[in-house]
Amino acid sequence: MTPAPQSYIRLGVNIDHVATIRNARGGRHPDPLRAAHLAVEAGADGITAHLREDRRHISDTDIARLKSELTRPLNLEMAATDEMLRIALRHVPNACCLVPERREERTTEGGLDVVGQRVSLEPVIGELKQAGIRVSLFIEPDLAAIDVAAALQADIVELHTGRYCEYAADDDAKGAAAEVERLRTAAREAALRGLEVHAGHGLTFNTVAPLARMPEVVELNIGHFLIGEAIFGGLHGAVRRMRALMDEARNKVVGRVSA
């Protein structure tokens, strides 16, 4: 039985690309921690940061400061490597989202191959959970991947919305609609297996509503678009608008169920 829709959907704000801008010149400005505090003030329920192997944006110091000073949960995105596992166990964030990572990619290009990497993922997941860290797997909206995520006893799956957003950006309404349906089916199946469902990657003001209307989705993680919008109107305003759009979409779902 599909869970009843929650009246509230969480917003996680990814602050990686504040660090990207800082690192383009060096020094301390703009400060990702300051961006995190602004995002929380504007309505973010949590902060996401991806500590990559090559440290192209977020640094080890950023993670330490975020964990020490944040007033909301920290979601650490990371590859399932020994180095990242040690860092996670040292800082103990609220959650770790395991993601694929390749040095040559500009950004995360797809979901984690949980089917092919099941054996190597199992001990990493086990150690994180033993430390009291919630474990999320960033996956494609694929039923085989959901089955493996449940078998690995992950707490959360985060569904990759990148393909849907690409169709939308190309004005391919048919492709976008098909991908929304695939995401909806995956969200429903994940929830039925006892997994908490998150989603993210590439979401914008124009694409967020269909995800926020999915009753099984309890959190959306959004970063690059919000940081880009902050250039034109400030981070506070960008987060507030995204928060409002998510609330509007979710309230329509809850209202239909309650009627």
Side-chain angles (χ1 to χ4, degrees):
M1 184 175 184
T2 303
Q6 300 182 30
S7 60
Y8 185 78
I9 179 170
R10 298 193 301 263
L11 170 61
V13 173
N14 185 312
I15 46 93
D16 288 354
H17 296 297
V18 176
T20 299
I21 298 169
R22 175 196 63 193
N23 296 352
R25 187 163 183 170
R28 299 182 180 181
H29 182 77
D31 182 5
L33 179 61
R34 181 183 177 193
H37 286 314
L38 284 170
V40 168
E41 289 174 12
D45 301 286
I47 298 297
T48 292
H50 183 177
L51 185 65
R52 296 185 69 107
E53 180 188 21
D54 61 10
R55 309 304 199 269
R56 69 178 64 172
H57 37 60
I58 293 295
S59 70
D60 298 70
T61 300
D62 292 329
I63 296 299
R65 293 177 67 218
L66 287 165
K67 181 59 173 64
S68 174
E69 298 185 38
L70 270 183
T71 60
R72 293 291 187 276
L74 172 63
N75 174 36
L76 173 61
E77 288 187 346
M78 58 179 246
T81 65
D82 290 341
E83 179 197 19
M84 292 301 156
L85 178 59
R86 289 194 301 271
I87 291 169
L89 294 176
R90 182 163 67 248
H91 293 295
V92 193
N94 175 69
C96 284
C97 183
L98 302 182
V99 301
E101 189 173 308
R102 297 186 301 120
R103 279 183 178 270
E104 63 270 22
E105 68 187 359
R106 285 181 294 177
T107 185
T108 305
E109 295 174 346
L112 188 66
D113 178 15
V114 293
V115 176
Q117 298 177 28
R118 178 172 180 165
V119 173
S120 61
L121 287 170
E122 188 168 13
V124 176
I125 293 170
E127 288 199 50
L128 291 171
K129 287 174 68 73
Q130 189 173 11
I133 301 169
R134 304 187 77 210
V135 178
S136 175
L137 301 178
F138 185 70
I139 63 170
E140 292 297 321
D142 175 79
L143 298 186
I146 290 166
D147 285 339
V148 172
L152 288 169
Q153 299 184 350
D155 301 289
I156 305 158
V157 289
E158 181 168 342
L159 302 178
H160 178 231
T161 58
R163 184 177 298 179
Y164 155 59
C165 293
E166 288 172 5
Y167 282 131
D170 292 338
D171 294 322
D172 183 345
K174 184 177 179 180
E179 195 63 18
V180 165
E181 188 56 36
R182 193 162 80 106
L183 286 158
R184 182 179 292 112
T185 299
R188 185 179 302 121
E189 291 300 320
L192 287 171
R193 286 162 174 76
L195 294 160
E196 186 173 303
V197 184
H198 299 183
H201 197 83
L203 293 170
T204 69
F205 294 147
N206 294 329
T207 57
V208 72
L211 274 299
R213 285 195 293 263
M214 294 179 189
E216 300 83 7
V217 176
V218 302
E219 181 172 305
L220 297 177
N221 283 298
I222 306 173
H224 182 268
F225 175 78
L226 291 174
I227 303 309
E229 283 297 298
I231 294 171
F232 304 106
L235 183 59
H236 193 277
V239 173
R240 284 287 297 272
R241 184 178 175 193
M242 186 64 78
R243 173 75 269 164
L245 290 168
M246 289 168 56
D247 290 341
E248 179 183 8
R250 178 52 59 94
N251 289 339
K252 287 180 179 178
V253 174
V254 174
R256 286 202 304 269
V257 172
S258 301

